[in-house]
Amino acid sequence: MTDTTITTTTTTTTTSQFSTVHEYVTALGGTRVIQKILVANNGLAAVKGIRSMRRWSIETFGYNALKFVVMATPEDIQANAEYIRLADELVQVAGEGNSNNYANVKLIVDTAERTECDAVWPGWGHASENPELPDTLSKTKNKIAFIGPGAIAMDVLGDKISSSILAESAGVPTMPWSGSGLRCSGVDISEELYQRACVNDEESALLSAAQIGYPLMIKASEGGGGKGIRKVSNDNELRLGFAQVKAEVPGSPIFLMKLASQSRHLEVQVVADHHGNAVALYSRDCSVQRRHQKIIEEGPVCVAPREIVEEMEQAAVRLTKSVG
């Protein structure tokens, strides 16, 4: 690997009451100073992340108080990618599959330590939803910060069954499903409770379907990208669909959920801190899909009544706080 430093300068007149990041953090009662950040992503994610954080820095201090380190593949270097030109320092990493770079937790952590970064920002995709990354960073010598959810929250909300139990426990309205009525305290979901929400074989699937009612969806908890999901309307389709989902995502727990027909896919964006504060920022409509995968996301939501969106936002905040 080789490191190349890229110098960027910004000339502005400072009018901020804070001259340094240390002053800012101290004045607001913070405990951690973050000035050097590893952006463990590329392309649009890296560009938007760097531009947003740099803009905040300049607006807050009157100058660029943050430094950004990026991981660059040979392909991105050859293409003179925009995010590389925005960075203060780059570290060349292997190209091709993301297991060699932006999804490689060990590489990300080693790079952050070697470049003496205070924090890692993963963007989206790649390693951003892997709880191993924040967990490993927290165990480094300098306890490098992870700009994102903690490992526990990421783990429990990343699992479709755990997240559904947590949602019900936090008072979030949910569709009838194979785990309806199950509750947990905090993020403590026992194996026994988890298994009660699953359908482990064809017989238990048929019994659960009789309680939920058709039409319904068969889902693999570890599925995604259009895999491990089937719509069924009767017992015969359930038998076939259950076998297909089981084969598509081997070893994954499976659950059933009532089909929401004539519906829209609406989401709420949430930001939170480790002090227990959480706020809903925006909502977005992700209804334009192909093969159960989102194609276009539009925001804010305008198709639903404002009071419904506000209820969704409040529910999202409750769920966020419940998992810390």
Side-chain angles (χ1 to χ4, degrees), residues 34-306:
I34 294 175
Q35 284 189 271
K36 192 173 185 181
I37 301 168
L38 171 64
V39 177
N41 212 308
N42 65 342
L44 181 62
V47 170
K48 293 185 75 172
I50 293 173
R51 283 181 175 173
S52 296
M53 288 183 274
R54 183 167 283 156
R55 178 178 178 179
W56 170 84
S57 172
I58 293 172
E59 289 177 348
T60 302
F61 305 106
Y63 68 99
N64 182 23
L66 302 178
K67 301 297 181 185
F68 296 96
V69 180
V70 298
M71 299 164 59
T73 65
E75 296 88 344
D76 282 342
I77 293 174
Q78 185 175 3
N80 193 26
E82 175 72 8
Y83 80 97
I84 295 175
R85 293 190 281 118
L86 290 173
D88 298 286
E89 183 179 337
L90 73 83
V91 176
Q92 184 172 331
V93 295
E96 299 180 353
N98 72 353
S99 60
N100 296 323
N101 40 68
Y102 308 108
N104 189 318
V105 171
K106 184 178 186 306
L107 175 63
I108 293 170
V109 175
D110 288 348
T111 302
E113 287 191 296
R114 188 158 53 85
T115 55
E116 300 182 332
C117 286
D118 303 310
V120 170
W121 184 73
W124 56 80
H126 301 305
S128 66
E129 297 179 25
N130 186 346
E132 183 185 348
L133 180 55
D135 182 57
T136 306
L137 287 170
S138 69
K139 297 173 182 176
T140 56
K141 180 180 178 181
N142 295 324
K143 298 189 182 301
I144 298 170
F146 177 76
I147 304 177
I152 294 176
M154 193 186 295
D155 188 34
V156 294
L157 288 183
D159 181 276
K160 296 179 178 65
I161 294 174
S162 294
S163 61
S164 296
I165 295 174
L166 287 163
E168 285 209 46
S169 303
V172 179
T174 59
M175 297 294 292
W177 69 298
S178 53
S180 287
L182 297 180
R183 298 288 189 275
C184 65
S185 177
V187 295
D188 183 21
I189 300 177
S190 67
E191 181 63 24
E192 185 271 336
L193 182 65
Y194 187 94
Q195 287 301 323
R196 285 170 59 190
C198 301
V199 288
N200 297 313
D201 50 43
E202 189 178 289
E203 182 180 355
S204 63
L206 288 168
L207 289 172
S208 184
Q211 293 181 323
I212 299 170
Y214 293 106
L216 54 78
M217 304 297 290
I218 308 172
K219 294 185 175 184
S221 182
E222 298 171 7
K227 291 184 177 181
I229 184 170
R230 287 293 187 283
K231 170 189 172 183
V232 296
S233 301
N234 53 57
D235 287 357
N236 289 332
E237 290 182 4
L238 176 63
R239 292 186 181 94
L240 177 61
F242 184 81
Q244 291 173 331
V245 168
K246 193 173 182 179
E248 279 187 1
V249 192
S252 171
I254 297 173
F255 66 104
L256 306 183
M257 184 169 281
K258 183 74 174 179
L259 171 68
S261 59
Q262 301 296 314
S263 60
R264 308 282 294 210
H265 180 139
L266 310 180
E267 297 184 353
V268 175
Q269 306 306 299
V270 181
V271 64
D273 62 25
H274 69 274
H275 300 288
N277 303 301
V279 60
L281 293 180
Y282 305 106
S283 56
R284 63 187 183 189
D285 190 336
C286 310
S287 302
V288 180
Q289 302 186 10
R290 178 175 180 268
R291 296 179 180 174
H292 307 296
Q293 295 184 79
K294 296 178 286 185
I295 297 175
I296 297 172
E297 300 179 355
E298 301 175 281
V301 167
C302 57
V303 70
R306 182 58 209 168

